[in-house]
Amino acid sequence: MQAVDHKPTPEQFSHLRGLVAESLEHMLAAHKRHPQDVENLKELASVYARMASFTGPQAWMQALSYYEQARQLDPMNPALPYEQARIVLQLVEHDRIQMQAKDLQKSAAAKTASAQHLQQATSFLQEAIRLKSNYDAAHYQLGVAYERQGRLQEAIREVEKALQNNIRNGGLAFELGLLYERVGDHTAARHLLEQVTKADPQNLNAHWYLSVVHEQMGNIDEALEEIDLLLQNEGMKKNAIVLQRQATLQAARAKQFAPSVRPLPDPIIPSVTRSPVVH
């Protein structure tokens, strides 16, 4: 079956930009008439944030500015710094792409910008949580910001808080399981990933990483079982990476159970000089 290309044509793209520009014009006019209207400011910020995908990162900066104006008028609203943090985390992703540039100066500048943006996102999220301590989405995003900074234990604490009120959220459990594995807590990682695979047997990534955790714990048979489950999926049967991992684990199991090659020990009792009688 051939995939359908949903990428807009140049004509569709131009039409979309026109619609956005028209909508933006109306909102700017409304903001001019009612500059103290927080809802107008939020709408403007939201539109600029969406525009960034086809106009560039400057639109994110404009969105941040409108959210900041809204915060001045509604300082106790935790959703405003949260939305600012989400925008800044998109800037971090933009920085990550720029860091791969062949131009070393450009790459170094992007690395510096990324560190600054991560700190900015962290501050916004901490403020959102200060205003609303049980803001689960903010706890999760703060975990993301900490993870990007290599602060894994702090990331774990935030994702744990998010999961407390969303215990059936398989996505959160999966992310937390990976964080546990990254800090070497194999038992906690296995516990969560097993929960995810039981709740959603079709979660292929959870099976994959559960196999990794089992291998790290020395449970080669269990690691192979997870790979075997993956290979039952039609899309995975010929996956070269999965098949290679299966072969690697099978070799590890064979080595694990192969008899050691070493000299025979001395007999417990002295050997007899005549051959034993065989009837």
Side-chain angles (χ1 to χ4, degrees), residues 79-109:
L80 297 175
Y82 171 76
E83 291 299 335
Q84 285 180 298
R86 291 183 63 198
I87 290 172
V88 176
L89 287 173
Q90 291 182 74
L91 281 167
V92 170
E93 182 60 22
H94 175 75
D95 296 334
R96 185 189 66 79
I97 295 171
Q98 297 301 308
M99 285 164 61
Q100 299 170 10
K102 293 181 179 180
D103 185 327
L104 295 181
Q105 188 173 1
K106 185 176 181 180
S107 177

Side-chain angles (χ1 to χ4, degrees), residues 40-251:
N40 278 345
L41 287 166
K42 287 163 59 178
E43 280 297 317
L44 275 168
S46 177
V47 169
Y48 272 106
R50 292 196 295 271
M51 283 173 56
S53 63
F54 55 87
T55 62
Q58 190 56 41
W60 280 320
M61 306 309 295
Q62 190 63 54
L64 286 172
S65 175
Y66 280 121
Y67 274 128
E68 189 60 35
Q69 292 178 51
R71 284 182 67 187
Q72 299 302 315
L73 297 169
D74 189 9
M76 301 306 292
N77 187 342
L80 297 175
Y82 171 76
E83 291 299 335
Q84 285 180 298
R86 291 183 63 198
I87 290 172
V88 176
L89 287 173
Q90 291 182 74
L91 281 167
V92 170
E93 182 60 22
H94 175 75
D95 296 334
R96 185 189 66 79
I97 295 171
Q98 297 301 308
M99 285 164 61
Q100 299 170 10
K102 293 181 179 180
D103 185 327
L104 295 181
Q105 188 173 1
K106 185 176 181 180
S107 177
K111 185 176 181 179
T112 299
S114 178
Q116 293 171 345
H117 286 143
L118 280 169
Q119 186 55 53
Q120 188 180 21
T122 299
S123 298
F124 282 140
L125 290 163
Q126 288 172 337
E127 175 62 13
I129 291 168
R130 186 188 69 79
L131 294 171
K132 182 182 177 182
S133 61
N134 63 341
Y135 201 159
D136 296 333
H139 281 297
Y140 172 73
Q141 293 292 347
L142 183 54
V144 171
Y146 282 144
E147 186 271 338
R148 297 286 179 86
Q149 297 171 77
R151 300 161 65 176
L152 298 185
Q153 293 293 352
E154 291 167 283
I156 285 172
R157 284 197 292 271
E158 294 304 322
V159 180
E160 284 176 338
K161 291 173 185 176
L163 188 59
Q164 282 176 1
N165 297 323
N166 300 273
I167 197 66
R168 296 185 184 280
N169 188 317
L172 278 177
F174 175 75
E175 294 291 341
L176 184 56
L178 296 190
L179 284 170
Y180 281 140
E181 179 60 19
R182 287 178 63 183
V183 298
D185 191 344
H186 306 311
T187 301
R190 181 184 67 182
H191 175 70
L192 277 178
L193 292 173
E194 284 178 343
Q195 284 187 344
V196 173
T197 56
K198 286 178 182 177
D200 180 12
Q202 299 306 311
N203 190 322
L204 304 183
N205 272 331
H207 285 294
W208 175 257
Y209 284 107
L210 183 54
S211 172
V212 172
V213 172
H214 278 307
E215 183 185 15
Q216 291 294 322
M217 299 179 76
N219 305 328
I220 303 300
D221 284 340
E222 288 84 349
L224 266 169
E225 285 176 11
E226 296 301 323
I227 296 300
D228 290 342
L229 287 170
L230 272 179
L231 290 171
Q232 290 177 18
N233 181 278
E234 194 63 34
M236 291 287 110
K237 287 182 178 180
K238 295 182 180 180
N239 186 291
I241 296 175
V242 178
L243 290 169
Q244 178 58 50
R245 176 156 178 76
Q246 182 189 47
T248 300
L249 289 170
Q250 287 172 339

